[in-house]
Amino acid sequence: MEPKKNVKADVGRNSSIYFSVGLALMLLLTNLAINYKTYDKSDIDIGMINMDDELEEEIPITEQLQQPPPPPPPPPVAPEEIEIVEDEKEVEETVIESSETNQEEEIAKVEDVVVVEAPEEDIEVPFAVIENVPVFPGCEKEAGNNAKKQCMSDKIAQFVNKKFNVDLASELGLSGRQRINVIFKIDKSGNITNIQARAPHPGLEKEAQRVIALLPKMLPGKQRGKAVTVPYSLPILFQVQD
């Protein structure tokens, strides 16, 4: 029995070729579909530039202003007339005589010149820093500057306590503790000068000045071997007996 189909018409023998071709076509289409991109026309429309739409800038026509010519310079001032006056006065010329001498001229004798010594300045040195303090009578035997200072302070305090009238404060109506500040100077001759006092009452000031003026003359203080003035301050304190 003969087969009904034509052997040449059997397509099964080329199925593998067809499958490969179809697979390649599908892969190609798939790749194209994946890589396919679309763009909006508005994004890619760059437009067209119309050069005819540019505005033409109108340049204004300017006119150059002509400035008026500068005014002519003023005419030169006519010089004043100078009147020539004849000099009738004669000018006496000063003749400078030569100061040079000759051997025949006698030399005048110069009289003795009296040199007037300037008075020495009254130098004041504070009591705390003087090299040699003033020496109160009775303190000559003390050795050293500090010992003589202490001796002088003690002697002045004893003298004031003995001479000062402490009953004066009661007579003046004062009470309680009284303080009098006294300042005086021991000049370069050893005398007491420039006595100043400050107290609650003028009567106490006068009494303090009276007592300090009674201080004996001292040996003056010395600075670098020269007698100098030494200021001295003394506080006087006492209690008024009620």
Side-chain angles (χ1 to χ4, degrees), residues 7-132:
V7 179
K8 295 181 180 180
D10 188 6
V11 295
R13 59 179 181 178
N14 296 326
S15 59
S16 60
I17 297 174
Y18 297 149
F19 177 78
S20 300
V21 173
L23 182 60
L25 290 174
M26 290 302 294
L27 292 173
L28 178 62
L29 292 174
T30 302
N31 187 23
L32 292 176
I34 292 173
N35 295 327
Y36 180 74
K37 295 181 180 180
T38 60
Y39 300 95
D40 294 338
K41 292 184 178 181
S42 60
D43 294 338
I44 62 175
D45 186 10
I46 61 175
M48 298 295 292
I49 299 175
N50 189 359
M51 301 299 293
D52 297 334
D53 294 338
E54 291 186 358
L55 296 176
E56 295 182 0
E57 184 180 358
E58 295 183 0
I59 301 175
I61 300 174
T62 57
E63 295 182 0
Q64 184 176 3
L65 298 178
Q66 295 182 357
Q67 297 181 355
V77 180
E80 298 180 358
E81 294 183 359
I82 300 174
E83 183 180 357
I84 301 175
V85 180
E86 295 182 359
D87 190 4
E88 297 179 355
K89 296 182 180 180
E90 295 182 358
V91 180
E92 296 181 359
E93 296 181 357
T94 303
V95 179
I96 300 175
E97 297 180 356
S98 175
S99 59
E100 296 182 359
T101 59
N102 50 34
Q103 296 179 354
E104 298 177 357
E105 186 176 356
E106 295 182 358
I107 300 174
K109 295 182 179 180
V110 180
E111 297 180 357
D112 295 337
V113 178
V114 179
V115 179
V116 179
E117 295 183 358
E120 295 183 359
E121 296 182 1
D122 191 5
I123 302 174
E124 293 185 5
V125 180
F127 183 77
V129 298
I130 190 170
E131 293 178 354
N132 300 106

